[in-house]
Amino acid sequence: MSIPVLTAALLLALAVVWHAAVVLADARAVTRHRPDGRVYRPGRGWTSAAGLAARRRLSYLIVVAGVVLAGLCLVAGLAPGRGTAMVLGGWAAVVLALLLADRRHGLNRYTAVCLALLAGCLVLAGGAWALGGRTWTAAAGPPASFFAAQLYLVAGVRKLRSRHFMDGGVLIDNLAYNAAQAAAGSHDFVPFPRTAALSTLLVHPAPRSVCRAVAVCAAVGEVLLGLAVLGLLPRPATLTLALVLHSGFLLLSPLRIVPFSAASMGLCVLATSQPLLPGPLG
């Protein structure tokens, strides 16, 4: 199969394994470190270890599915052909079914949507290769281009229309929250800034100006990336922009945002293989 398809499949395998591993770590933490066996989850209220049991069992299946998917990528790379393509596409369908089953337990819609879209595009890629051979190797490119453009454009436009985001307020809120969580012992967040520096961040104008500039760059960058995955920028520039943006997102919550970033990068890789608007720049 083509390198973009295999790369996207490996990124999906990383995303689903990481996603399930975080769920398993959460369930283990509730059991071991919560005296009352409960944890508070925003939007869901207090959740007991028993309440997480069903999702924990499903997460074990997702880990196995992700590892098998990575192995199938290796097989498809070493022995490309219609048979291996069909198996890879079929297993991507299994991963998609597990993700849809997990969706009812999760709260992070963007991550769930990106994982499901990437898995669906890989199902299409495997089926197209199995049916049409090498001439259909980029069949997943146009739908990936469409969905990636929609995701980035919607996110970017929403940020541009949010005064609180464009003023840097959302970034300041996130940094303050991350600092408080890290100081409380959570390893999900980067311990920056230190709690002693929070007053400077919240009061002084210089940090606010930096946060405002970063917010503007993030919003404009997402809109630009949304247009780029349609084929309006060269492929190297598009993938570089995507890598820079998602590297920045990782700083906010490196543990939990990896599945979203990996799935989004997989969509971008597929999108740039055959964008909706191919041309001298596509």
Side-chain angles (χ1 to χ4, degrees), residues 17-72:
V17 169
W18 196 294
H19 166 73
V22 169
V23 173
L24 293 172
D26 286 345
R28 190 178 303 112
V30 173
T31 304
R32 292 183 178 180
H33 305 300
R34 297 283 180 173
D36 56 356
R38 299 190 306 162
V39 65
Y40 183 82
R41 296 193 297 167
R44 292 290 180 92
W46 289 100
T47 305
S48 66
L52 293 173
R55 194 179 190 193
R56 185 173 64 248
R57 290 192 295 269
L58 182 59
S59 295
Y60 282 119
L61 293 177
I62 292 176
V63 169
V64 173
V67 172
V68 172
L69 180 63
L72 290 176

Side-chain angles (χ1 to χ4, degrees), residues 196-208:
L198 278 180
S199 59
T200 300
L201 175 69
L202 298 174
V203 177
H204 287 211
R208 283 187 168 270

Side-chain angles (χ1 to χ4, degrees), residues 11-156:
L11 287 169
L12 177 62
L14 169 64
V16 296
V17 169
W18 196 294
H19 166 73
V22 169
V23 173
L24 293 172
D26 286 345
R28 190 178 303 112
V30 173
T31 304
R32 292 183 178 180
H33 305 300
R34 297 283 180 173
D36 56 356
R38 299 190 306 162
V39 65
Y40 183 82
R41 296 193 297 167
R44 292 290 180 92
W46 289 100
T47 305
S48 66
L52 293 173
R55 194 179 190 193
R56 185 173 64 248
R57 290 192 295 269
L58 182 59
S59 295
Y60 282 119
L61 293 177
I62 292 176
V63 169
V64 173
V67 172
V68 172
L69 180 63
L72 290 176
C73 290
L74 178 61
V75 173
L78 295 176
R82 295 191 176 189
T84 53
M86 183 177 296
V87 172
L88 183 62
W91 195 255
V94 172
V95 173
L96 177 58
L98 291 173
L99 291 172
L100 293 177
D102 182 68
R103 175 66 184 87
R104 67 178 184 271
H105 300 291
L107 289 174
N108 195 329
R109 294 182 179 180
Y110 256 75
T111 298
V113 169
C114 285
L115 289 170
L117 286 176
L118 180 56
C121 288
L122 288 172
V123 172
L124 178 60
W129 175 275
L131 293 174
R134 294 182 180 275
T135 57
W136 289 12
T137 185
S145 176
F146 171 79
F147 288 121
Q150 184 182 43
L151 288 171
Y152 285 115
L153 287 174
V154 168

